Amino acid sequence: MTNEQILLKILRASLWGNPPEAGVMSATDFHGVMMQAKRQTVVGLLAQALTDEDYQVRLPKPDAIQTFVSQQEIRNSNLKVNRALEELCVLLQANSIKFLVVKGQLLAQFYPQPLSRQPGDIDFYCDSEHFDRARTVIRQAWNVTFHEGEEGDNEQHVAFEYKGIPFELHFRLLKFASSSVQHHFDEMIRKSAPYTITVGHTAVPTLPPVENLIFTFLHLYHHFMELGIGLRQICDMAVLLHRYCEAFAHPEEKARLVDWLKKLDYFNGFNAFGAICVDVLGLPAAEYPFKLTRRARSYTASIMKVVFKRGNFGMYGRKNRVRSGLAYYVETISLKLKHYLRFFALSRKENLAVLFCGIPKKITLALKR
């Protein structure tokens, strides 16, 4: 088996308890799989399975020690980020500021072992009524400095760091090139019902199941089309589908899911990634809300090629790693163009807007640099 195949087998064990083959993993295999896990941001899930006695995977002693150390580092990082998230909730709620937290630590709660998901930043959203006040309260209470994000991010959020943890305060959860798609997405967020997920000892405000699933998918899909994603983002979608499978099977909730996906014109894209959740990551087919067609499955090989080549948020497989300079912009615009053309049918409305408005705008900006 290839390193990618071994990693996928181990991920299925971590996500659903499907034991990998017992035996000894050679040092060569271990180092290859660990390297791939780092690129895909799933080291915690790999370590979880390799240290589980039920799976009986034996490693050379130095590799076993490395696995244990990696597992403990990720566990401790999660606990640190969780504490910061709870602090944020206490601060904003004490000041009567309405907010939503998305992704990250909330999705981690749906994993069999939440502390095994590699943490990132903390993303939270405030509408126009509460955004400026949230920014003022956080700056005064935590003595932090806000700064704009990198290319395109200033259209969505401002960022800051607190206790070594990156935060993103969003005034827009996602930015679309299509005004029609943007309208429907903003409407979906605006109409979402109050919902919370418990992290530690805190009930954290977030999106309800249908909206959470759609947002999680749209976020990973956006990054996939731009430069690429790692397996962690697809695992997030899979565990969400698993946790709320009964809710999504309910006729009313399923109808809302279909309605929003079709209004947004992402129904085909959703099913293409749903096929990966089922066929690649091992989500039980009965837990997927729709029938997977041959057409949906036809994209699996192409999508997985991008996932394994580009890795977490497209950080790999590029000549220009630094996000600046004309060479970087030429390379990334060329890559984006290939993705939007290859996967055009998965989200026609947004892809048309990107091809005729978004990419020309980026080319103009690149030439001005």
Side-chain angles (χ1 to χ4, degrees), residues 13 17 20 28 42 58 95-96 99 158 212 226 249 267 273 281 342 345:
T28 301
V42 291
R58 288 173 288 165
N95 286 274
S96 302
F99 67 102
V158 293
N212 198 354
E226 289 287 291
F267 189 75
F273 279 85
L281 292 182
R342 171 64 184 88

Side-chain angles (χ1 to χ4, degrees), residues 8 12 15-16 18 238 275-285 287:
L8 288 171
R12 289 191 287 270
L15 293 172
W16 323 116
N18 303 329
I276 291 173
C277 290
V278 173
D279 297 337
V280 178
L281 292 182
L283 174 76
E287 296 182 356

Side-chain angles (χ1 to χ4, degrees), residues 113-170:
Q113 295 185 25
L115 298 181
S116 291
R117 182 190 183 274
Q118 281 184 251
D121 54 14
I122 294 176
D123 292 84
F124 63 109
Y125 164 79
C126 291
D127 60 22
S128 57
E129 181 181 347
H130 297 89
F131 179 84
D132 288 337
R133 190 152 163 269
R135 186 169 176 165
T136 299
V137 166
I138 291 169
R139 184 176 63 246
Q140 292 176 347
W142 287 356
N143 190 31
V144 298
T145 301
F146 287 86
H147 55 86
E148 304 294 338
E150 296 184 358
E151 177 196 1
D153 290 343
N154 56 2
E155 296 180 300
Q156 296 183 169
H157 69 255
V158 293
F160 64 93
E161 190 172 290
Y162 175 64
K163 292 185 176 180
I165 296 166
F167 285 74
E168 291 182 355
L169 168 54
H170 289 254

Side-chain angles (χ1 to χ4, degrees), residues 165-282:
I165 296 166
F167 285 74
E168 291 182 355
L169 168 54
H170 289 254
F171 48 86
R172 177 185 287 133
L173 278 174
L174 283 174
K175 177 70 170 66
F176 296 91
S178 165
S179 58
S180 172
V181 174
Q182 189 72 60
H183 169 77
H184 288 304
F185 177 78
D186 292 343
E187 179 187 21
M188 182 187 77
I189 299 301
R190 187 174 62 253
K191 290 183 175 180
S192 63
Y195 196 83
T196 62
I197 294 173
T198 300
V199 177
H201 301 288
T202 303
V204 181
T206 189
L207 295 167
V210 166
E211 289 81 356
N212 198 354
L213 176 61
I214 292 174
F215 171 74
T216 299
F217 159 70
L218 289 174
H219 176 258
L220 76 84
Y221 183 87
H222 168 78
H223 283 287
F224 170 80
M225 295 294 278
E226 289 287 291
L227 293 175
I229 56 170
L231 283 168
R232 180 183 63 174
Q233 281 69 42
I234 309 177
C235 288
D236 287 345
M237 180 177 173
V239 296
L240 255 175
L241 284 162
H242 174 69
R243 174 60 65 93
Y244 293 127
C245 62
E246 291 184 5
F248 298 143
H250 189 278
E252 184 177 336
E253 291 296 278
K254 185 174 180 178
R256 288 204 313 114
L257 180 59
V258 172
D259 184 53
W260 281 120
L261 286 172
K262 290 191 172 181
K263 280 182 178 178
L264 293 161
D265 192 33
Y266 277 94
F267 189 75
N268 290 342
F270 183 88
N271 281 318
F273 279 85
I276 291 173
C277 290
V278 173
D279 297 337
V280 178
L281 292 182

Side-chain angles (χ1 to χ4, degrees), residues 223 227-230 310-318 321 335:
H223 283 287
L227 293 175
I229 56 170
R310 303 297 174 189
N312 187 46
F313 294 128
M315 293 174 61
Y316 302 91
R318 300 202 313 262
R321 297 288 298 275
L335 176 60

Side-chain angles (χ1 to χ4, degrees), residues 96-110:
S96 302
I97 295 172
K98 184 179 178 182
F99 67 102
L100 294 173
V101 180
V102 293
K103 303 185 297 181
Q105 301 311 105
L106 298 186
L107 297 179
Q109 307 313 306
F110 301 140

